Structure formats: C-alpha cells, structure tokens
Amino acid sequence: MSGEGIGRGGTSGEGPSGERAGGGGRVGIVLVSHSAAVADAVAALARGLAGGGDLAPVAAAGGAPGGGLGTSADLIASAAKDVDGGAGVAILVDLGSAVLTVKALLAEGDELPEGARLVDAPFVEGAVAALVTASAGGDLDAVAAAASEAYAYRKE
C-alpha cells in the first residue's frame, strides 16, 4: 500500500513564524469510530503498546454527540484541532460512513487543520503503527505509510 490518503494542505509542520507548532511538531492522530467506547479503547491500546513516554498526540472521536452509535463531524473536527501540532493530522476510521464524514470535512476545506489526511489503514493495527511512527518523529507521509502497511500484518 502506498500510505497515501485523501487530505488537505501541506505537511511542513511549521507555524506562521517558521517555528514548529505545539505538540513537539509531531503528527497528531485522530481515531474515528462509530462507538465512543471503541475509539477510546483503541486510543488507550495504542498508547499502551507504543511504550509510554513522550507520545505524539492521539485523540478519540467516537459515537454520536448524544452518546449513541454514529459519527459526528463536530467531534472529529474538534479532535483534529486538539491534536494538531503543525505537522499534520492522520485520521484513521473504522467503517464506511466514518470515511464519508471525514471526506466531507476535507472537502469543506476549513473544518480540519491544514495537513489533515484520511489514512487508508486497518483501525487497530494502523492506530498502533501510526502512533509509534509519529512518536518517533515521522512525518505525515511516514505515519500514513506505517499505518497502511499494517494491512500486511499476517495473523496466521
């Protein structure tokens, strides 16, 4: 897999003054699930497996605003802004309509931070690979590639 996704803007990671933005200038990660519990659990699992320490920012954006199942453009946009450190935001999703919600946000052009990208990756394995790579200082292309390459992980 190429690791390429649908996104907007560049990935230079520099703020208006040329300085790296907050979050250590690392790629932020948003995990979008139809279930808040699933998104939170995958984020916790990724943090635990990434070895602790100084991790890249990761946020869960799961469920509908009222607490039920679904996806929320507002929750996704808020999570992306929360993890944006200026180096881009990798967005991983669980199922089809979450993909459509993120694509709609990207198409609007002003709802997500510059450099936000929908990454085609398995949700759990991709989240772990993305967080490890982002925490090691990988740029958005490297983070997206690592997450996408998780499709090749064999369990047999």
Side-chain angles (χ1 to χ4, degrees):
M1 303 241 113
S2 68
E4 294 183 18
I6 297 170
R8 74 180 218 72
T11 61
S12 71
E14 292 183 0
S17 65
E19 301 272 332
R20 285 248 179 227
R26 292 181 293 191
V27 173
I29 299 161
V30 175
L31 303 175
V32 181
S33 174
H34 285 72
S35 163
V38 169
D40 290 338
V42 172
L45 178 66
R47 285 185 198 102
L49 294 177
D54 186 26
L55 298 177
V58 59
L69 296 177
T71 56
S72 164
D74 290 338
L75 290 175
I76 296 166
S78 177
K81 289 174 184 154
D82 288 347
V83 301
D84 180 28
V89 176
I91 304 171
L92 286 78
V93 300
D94 64 353
L95 298 169
S97 63
V99 173
L100 298 176
T101 302
V102 173
K103 283 183 177 182
L105 286 167
L106 289 166
E108 289 177 24
D110 63 350
E111 296 295 317
L112 295 174
E114 188 76 19
R117 183 184 304 178
L118 173 61
V119 177
D120 182 16
F123 193 58
V124 175
E125 294 93 334
V128 174
L131 184 57
V132 168
T133 303
S135 297
D139 65 10
L140 184 57
D141 289 336
V143 170
S148 293
E149 287 168 6
Y151 275 128
Y153 297 170
R154 302 304 310 159
K155 298 175 184 174
E156 51 185 17

